[in-house]
């Protein structure tokens, strides 16, 4: 969008209630698990189980859900993602109504990291893996990697919001985004 162009004020529904509910419930689960990792074992475990259940729900919804919720709508091949990242660096990235290629890749990485963290956390509670150092190390590495991905995700949301003059946090609350303009990708 040109620097002097005014964005459209007409809004369209993009994110359904399942996607929005999943997103904010996963945020709450992750924050709760992170903050209770050394203080409240029961709360930490339940936050992890909740996160795991949310991921399973999102995987199902990514196949059966509304159009913008489906993985087929936003999961792109690595070349497309790299091209989009290059366009970001040069300041020429297109605005997408759904997830852009980098955002789609981030969704997959966050789901994988959350799944790994939940799985290794659960393994630590089983008789077979309780106290096993490599499982504890894998859980810690997964959780810290997930935190790093979350920080990159927040940075990407902030950058896209600024570049496209669109509050993506509000869009994830209301489900609405500015309708597609001619140069945008629906």
């Amino acid at each position: 969008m040109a620097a002097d162009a005014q964005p459209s004020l007409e809004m369209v529904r993009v994110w359904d209630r399942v996607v929005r509910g999943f997103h904010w419930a996963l945020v709450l689960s992750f924050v709760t698990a992170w903050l209770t990792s050394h203080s409240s074992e029961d709360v930490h475990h339940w936050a992890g189980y909740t996160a795991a259940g949310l991921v399973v729900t999102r995987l199902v919804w990514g196949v059966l859900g509304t159009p913008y919720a489906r993985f087929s709508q936003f999961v792109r091949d690595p070349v497309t993602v790299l091209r989009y990242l290059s366009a970001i660096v040069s300041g020429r990235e297109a605005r997408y109504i759904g997830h852009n290629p980098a955002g789609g890749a981030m969704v997959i990485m966050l789901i994988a990291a959350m799944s790994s963290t939940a799985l290794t956390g659960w393994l630590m509670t089983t008789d077979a893996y309780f106290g096993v150092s490599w499982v504890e190390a894998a859980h810690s590495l997964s959780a810290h990697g997930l935190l790093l991905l979350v920080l990159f995700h927040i940075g990407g949301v902030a950058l896209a919001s600024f570049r496209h003059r669109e509050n993506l946090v509000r869009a994830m609350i209301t489900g609405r985004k500015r309708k597609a303009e001619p140069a945008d990708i629906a």
Side-chain angles (χ1 to χ4, degrees):
M1 175 184 304
D4 58 346
Q6 292 297 318
S8 168
L9 297 178
E10 190 174 341
M11 305 297 277
V12 294
R13 170 83 55 201
V14 177
W15 311 123
D16 61 51
R17 286 183 179 163
V18 174
V19 169
R20 295 184 339 256
F22 159 79
H23 180 272
W24 295 113
L26 195 61
V27 168
L28 181 61
S29 296
F30 177 72
V31 169
T32 300
W34 188 269
L35 294 176
T36 61
S37 64
H38 299 294
S39 62
S40 179
E41 190 174 283
D42 287 342
V43 173
H44 182 78
H45 289 173
W46 281 108
Y49 295 143
T50 300
L54 287 164
V55 166
V56 169
T57 300
R58 183 63 180 98
L59 291 173
V60 170
W61 198 244
V63 175
L64 303 176
T66 57
Y68 287 108
R70 292 183 191 151
F71 297 125
S72 61
Q73 193 278 330
F74 65 85
V75 174
R76 309 280 189 329
D77 63 277
V79 172
T80 301
V81 174
L82 290 173
R83 246 188 253 126
Y84 187 81
L85 291 171
S86 176
I88 289 173
V89 171
S90 66
R92 298 177 289 110
E93 76 276 12
R95 176 179 172 260
Y96 282 70
I97 301 305
H99 285 96
N100 64 49
M106 182 57 76
V107 168
I108 299 306
M109 290 188 299
L110 286 166
I111 286 174
M114 184 63 77
S115 297
S116 174
T117 304
L119 176 62
T120 55
W122 171 75
L123 286 173
M124 289 170 52
T125 69
T126 65
D127 290 340
Y129 294 100
F130 181 80
V132 175
S133 61
W134 73 263
V135 177
E136 293 172 358
H139 183 66
S140 180
L141 182 64
S142 291
H144 285 87
L146 180 55
L147 178 61
L148 186 61
L149 287 173
V150 166
L151 295 174
F152 276 116
H153 173 59
I154 292 168
V157 167
L159 178 64
S161 292
F162 174 75
R163 292 280 258 290
H164 301 296
R165 299 182 190 182
E166 179 167 56
N167 186 334
L168 294 178
V169 174
R170 182 174 54 218
M172 192 50 77
I173 293 169
T174 66
R176 298 186 164 295
K177 288 180 78 176
R178 199 174 68 243
K179 81 173 201 167
E181 295 169 9
D184 296 340
I185 299 171

